[in-house]
Amino acid sequence: EPTKGVDIGVKVEIHRMLRALASEQGLTVVVVSYEEEEVLAVADDVTIFSDGYCSGETKPASSLTDADLRKAAWSH
């Protein structure tokens, strides 16, 4: 949870830095967050892990909503 406990200005800067690492330096960045909005803001692809289990599928973040993430996380 890269932005847990930080104010909104710092959160925006952290998101910018994560995207820069991925796009400018070609790195893969794994982000774990319980905030659906944060996941959708920084991710290209999303895989759901819940209660120690992987959903088994990765989806483009652009095709998901907050509600999709909540549903997937609670229906393993």
Side-chain angles (χ1 to χ4, degrees):
E1 294 190 70
T3 61
K4 185 175 183 177
V6 300
D7 67 51
I8 189 68
V10 174
K11 181 182 263 193
V12 169
E13 182 61 16
I14 291 171
H15 288 177
R16 187 199 64 73
M17 291 169 57
L18 291 171
R19 297 295 292 171
L21 286 170
S23 65
E24 295 168 14
Q25 297 185 27
L27 298 176
T28 298
V29 180
V30 177
V31 175
V32 176
S33 180
Y34 291 99
E35 294 183 37
E36 294 91 356
E37 298 84 8
E38 179 168 57
V39 170
L40 297 176
V42 299
D44 292 325
D45 299 303
V46 177
T47 302
I48 301 292
F49 290 82
S50 180
D51 293 328
Y53 296 95
C54 175
S55 67
E57 59 184 314
T58 299
K59 296 183 179 182
S62 61
S63 72
L64 298 169
T65 66
D66 296 353
D68 293 331
L69 292 179
R70 282 190 293 277
K71 181 179 177 184
W74 290 100
S75 63
H76 62 271

